[in-house]
Amino acid sequence: MSELKPALTYDEQIDRLINIHNLLIDDAEKAMVIIKRVNYYRLCGYPLLSKSSRKLSSTAPT
């Protein structure tokens, strides 16, 4: 059985979204609120990312 990856803090998740997934985040605090409610892995998926701008959608679930 493979080992689980260590959990990332919310700040680390936001950094990863910006630096690895090239997501543009204008408001890190709002992004953190969304991550706490939605889930980091859902943000990495297609539903919340605009393919043209790669910017966090304002239609993110609240």
Side-chain angles (χ1 to χ4, degrees):
M1 184 180 229
S2 62
E3 282 189 44
L4 295 176
K5 293 180 183 179
L8 299 175
T9 66
Y10 292 120
D11 287 325
E12 291 169 332
Q13 291 175 35
I14 290 171
D15 287 341
R16 186 171 174 84
L17 288 168
I18 293 168
N19 298 315
I20 295 179
H21 298 283
N22 297 317
L23 185 68
L24 300 175
I25 297 177
D26 295 327
D27 186 343
E29 289 192 25
K30 184 174 181 178
M32 190 173 302
V33 169
I34 293 169
I35 288 174
K36 287 179 181 180
R37 278 188 287 195
V38 176
N39 183 309
Y40 166 80
Y41 295 101
R42 179 140 183 231
L43 288 177
C44 293
Y46 62 90
L48 299 178
L49 297 178
S50 165
K51 290 182 182 180
S52 61
S53 69
R54 302 285 298 166
K55 194 168 188 175
L56 185 62
S57 171
S58 61
T59 61
T62 55

